[in-house]
Amino acid sequence: MSQPSSKYRRQSEESTSKIDCVRFALSLCESGRLEYLSSTSCRLRMAFTAPGDKEWWVLDLAEYWLPATDLMPKCLLSDDAKLAVATILAVDAYLCGAASTKGTHRTIATIASSIAKYWEWGRLNGLYCPEDWTSAHFRLLERDLGKGRWSLALRARARVKALLDTRPNPCYIGRTDPRISIRGEIRGLMGTNLSTLELGCARRSVHQYVQPERPPQGWATSSEPSQPTVTWLLQALWAANLVVRVPKPFAFSVTPFPDPISRAKRLAKPHARTPNLSVEQAVGLLLHARKYVYVYADVICQLVREVGEIGLKLTSTGLRQKRHNLLVAQLWRESKIRERAEVVLGVEISMMSKGAGSETNVPKLVDMLLSSAVILIAGLNARRKDEIIHRTVGLRRDSFQIVNRSLQIYQGTFYIEKTLKSYAPYFINQTTFDAYTALQKIEEAQLAMECAITREVRSEESLRHSMFWSRTFAPIAMRIAPRVWFDFSFDRNGAGRAFALEALEDSAKLIGGGAHIFRRFYAIIYFYRFEHGGLLAIRYQLAHWNCETTRQYVTDSMIQAAEARIPAELRRAPEAVRAAISSEWSALDEELKRVGSEKLCHAIAQLLNGQSFSGGFPRLVERVHRHLVRNVDYSAMDIERKTEKLHRMVEARGHAFRPLPHADCAAGSSSARGAKCSPVKGKGPSHENATALVCSGCAYSWTSQGHIAGLKADLEVLNIDVADSPPHTLLWERRMLTRDNLRKVIWLHERRLAQAK
């Protein structure tokens, strides 16, 4: 029995042999970016493809359906010449104003799918041509979309029930192994463009049809059509508006959705506030990523190579399936590398994944290592995700260079996605370079596994792509899977979420995966690196780590040196590169401002709740607070509102935190004429002169218990340095003076904290 769509595909090819609607539509297109492929399809060249990837995205109108009505039989979209032409022209209307980016093909796929659903809705409501639509139809449709997306608008539940009443073959409807899932063939039987996910509102009916006898766990429940987000509804409305921009008679005669932004905000559910990455979450992710890069990376690479060696042995045995499976288990059980890795990681490790939620396995460990590299490189350099992992513009084998290893000076070339759309050089810190080195190691290990099993050696040309990829060996099937490009996200099944769950456990559920998460990560580490307990534990392991390395000035010579690794078509003038870098810094400054303001507000809240701090600025805040208490309105407020009021007053005076190793400086943009680090009295702060001793007596210093813990760690190191220095030398005397001053500062801060209790 043939699949339901094959008959209609043949009919489509026969009907379009008379009128080639695709060729006709392309003759009316203006962008010049769509190319003819067949009588039912055209294609678009994708931007930024990696070696070995497909270069073309195909728009095949024979993949979309038009449902049966009382007047018309069910057919493919390619069978209706007018609607097919209108669809291609709408896609072209978008391409006329769209740049060629890595996501262009995904956008037009969404547009084509949405427009096909508009035609489907039209058929269900007796509208067969674009000019038949009126404003009343669009008002009716937008109401349904705003209540339950396309599942409600296209009557998914009722249509599935009507189909099941015709008693179709269950094998085209759904399957129950290992759990109920709706098969894609049902779309052809219904003549719908709804995805199987959108048909989930009829999952229970499908389950009861496919499995009439009630299973022990009961039949599956159906999902209710959900109200859309503003973004989703805006994209759906905007796709319809494209059909106005095409020539008649293929265009709508009225504008479907005037002012789509206002309509989407009015009809969709309100924006839910995405939870921000917290300080504890950022620190937890950093420490766990560091553990993978510095402790686990080598053993993970050894495990990958071991899988390759086992694969090589298996491919040369020629055993039958049963003996073959026994040998796989035996070789893995006897592996010394596996034993050592389990000791280091503290868990049992299987060779292959055994399904979702399975135990620790080699492919999962590879994903964890890649996730840790994303967090460290993107987080410590405030980069966007795709600037790190994208298959072509992401980090490659030649992206980072050593400038001076002894001085720990390194340079990286990052793609700037939003403005420059090309590469720019940056200085990077040691931790970033170490994460990059771990990436190189895991890629070499995967290449070794690939070579051992396939006997193929990759050329340098074939490796001109991102290092964020993986391949897995399936020992039972005796084959190596195709290359998979790594994706990092905090979505439910994303690699980032799996990493966060391992690092943070339950608190990982609160992580929001917004577009600027790595900027916020950078800002949190920037502000809390000198006082957070988790970061103090690795204070001297990160002594070489300068959070501001990525913001150092980029010279013309750096830009010219980087050009050798940049394709000619992407090279930009030095002025354009520096302007783009400056724009990136400005965006980062905004995030630093936000996180700094949050920290100041949190510190004020702690102060009002009775926590003790040392330094002049907490005393200033307390004086302002005591003054405000005399006001009846202020005194009647709860702690939260008092904190907000006090915070606004302090910021209005220009005060803001700047992190220093021994304290936070709150001078901000205020005049700060009493700053102790000022070289000339009354001229404001000069942070290059700021030391623990100088700041201990400054009116703008804010010292926490975390800062004091850091100072004590510094004192321990100084004691060792003094003991190692030749007595009575200049070096010994300088270290003795520094140690004495540090002891004095610690005593002073602890005395203040004791008096404040």
Side-chain angles (χ1 to χ4, degrees), residues 382-433:
R383 307 312 315 166
R384 299 174 184 87
K385 179 184 75 171
D386 278 352
E387 294 173 351
I388 303 299
I389 70 171
H390 187 267
R391 62 182 64 180
T392 50
V393 301
L395 297 182
R396 305 192 315 191
R397 296 158 71 90
D398 59 352
S399 293
F400 289 2
Q401 291 77 41
I402 301 170
V403 178
N404 189 312
R405 187 182 290 278
S406 61
L407 297 178
Q408 297 178 345
I409 301 175
Y410 306 95
Q411 180 185 322
T413 305
F414 293 106
Y415 186 82
I416 300 182
E417 183 178 17
K418 294 297 181 184
T419 53
L420 189 66
K421 299 192 183 302
S422 182
Y423 296 86
Y426 289 82
F427 286 107
I428 58 173
N429 54 44
Q430 180 73 49
T431 304
T432 300
F433 190 79

Side-chain angles (χ1 to χ4, degrees), residues 257-279:
F257 305 106
D259 194 6
I261 296 177
S262 298
R263 289 178 183 275
K265 289 180 178 178
R266 175 169 53 84
L267 295 167
K269 64 183 177 183
H271 276 299
R273 180 173 173 79
T274 303
N276 270 330
L277 183 73
S278 71
V279 176

Side-chain angles (χ1 to χ4, degrees), residues 284-538:
L285 290 175
L286 173 69
L287 297 179
H288 202 60
R290 236 186 131 269
K291 186 184 295 184
Y292 265 92
V293 166
Y294 289 102
V295 182
Y296 299 160
D298 287 341
V299 295
I300 293 173
C301 293
Q302 290 168 10
L303 283 171
V304 172
R305 291 177 183 273
E306 179 74 348
V307 170
E309 292 299 319
I310 291 175
L312 179 61
K313 293 175 183 177
L314 292 173
T315 53
S316 58
T317 58
L319 295 174
R320 292 183 178 180
Q321 184 70 38
K322 187 175 180 181
R323 293 288 305 278
H324 169 86
N325 295 347
L326 293 173
L327 181 59
V328 171
Q330 178 186 343
L331 291 174
W332 186 248
R333 188 171 56 251
E334 295 174 352
S335 170
K336 299 297 182 185
I337 290 176
R338 176 197 57 77
E339 289 180 5
R340 287 197 297 270
E342 289 182 346
V343 170
V344 173
L345 274 73
V347 294
E348 291 187 7
I349 304 170
S350 61
M351 183 174 172
M352 286 299 303
S353 171
K354 297 179 181 178
S358 65
E359 72 282 3
T360 302
N361 52 71
V362 177
K364 179 180 177 180
L365 289 173
V366 171
D367 279 355
M368 288 293 188
L369 182 56
L370 296 179
S371 294
S372 67
V374 173
I375 289 169
L376 290 177
I377 298 175
L380 298 185
N381 298 275
R383 307 312 315 166
R384 299 174 184 87
K385 179 184 75 171
D386 278 352
E387 294 173 351
I388 303 299
I389 70 171
H390 187 267
R391 62 182 64 180
T392 50
V393 301
L395 297 182
R396 305 192 315 191
R397 296 158 71 90
D398 59 352
S399 293
F400 289 2
Q401 291 77 41
I402 301 170
V403 178
N404 189 312
R405 187 182 290 278
S406 61
L407 297 178
Q408 297 178 345
I409 301 175
Y410 306 95
Q411 180 185 322
T413 305
F414 293 106
Y415 186 82
I416 300 182
E417 183 178 17
K418 294 297 181 184
T419 53
L420 189 66
K421 299 192 183 302
S422 182
Y423 296 86
Y426 289 82
F427 286 107
I428 58 173
N429 54 44
Q430 180 73 49
T431 304
T432 300
F433 190 79
D434 291 342
Y436 175 77
T437 303
L439 275 178
Q440 290 180 312
K441 289 179 180 177
I442 193 63
E443 183 174 57
E444 290 299 330
Q446 293 196 103
L447 290 173
M449 177 189 72
E450 189 178 77
C451 179
I453 297 171
T454 65
R455 313 292 208 282
E456 296 177 1
V457 179
R458 298 269 295 276
S459 66
E460 282 297 319
E461 186 64 30
S462 70
L463 291 171
R464 294 187 180 277
H465 55 65
S466 162
M467 292 190 289
F468 287 91
W469 59 276
S470 63
R471 293 188 74 176
T472 55
F473 175 61
I476 296 177
M478 287 299 294
R479 63 182 178 83
I480 188 168
R483 177 180 57 196
V484 175
W485 296 108
F486 178 73
D487 187 28
F488 181 91
S489 81
F490 288 109
D491 295 339
R492 184 176 61 179
N493 297 319
R497 176 53 56 91
F499 185 90
L501 285 171
E502 185 175 292
L504 308 173
E505 298 181 348
D506 289 343
S507 62
K509 298 173 184 175
L510 303 176
I511 290 182
H516 306 301
I517 189 170
F518 290 116
R519 276 192 206 151
R520 182 171 177 82
F521 183 100
Y522 175 94
I524 287 172
I525 303 304
Y526 173 83
F527 275 103
Y528 287 89
R529 56 192 156 144
F530 299 124
E531 58 177 310
H532 191 281
L535 297 179
L536 288 176
I538 56 171

Side-chain angles (χ1 to χ4, degrees), residues 163-180:
L163 172 67
L164 298 181
D165 289 343
T166 65
R167 313 306 298 171
N169 189 332
C171 70
Y172 292 141
I173 303 300
R175 60 186 180 88
T176 57
D177 183 24
R179 55 189 177 86
I180 181 63

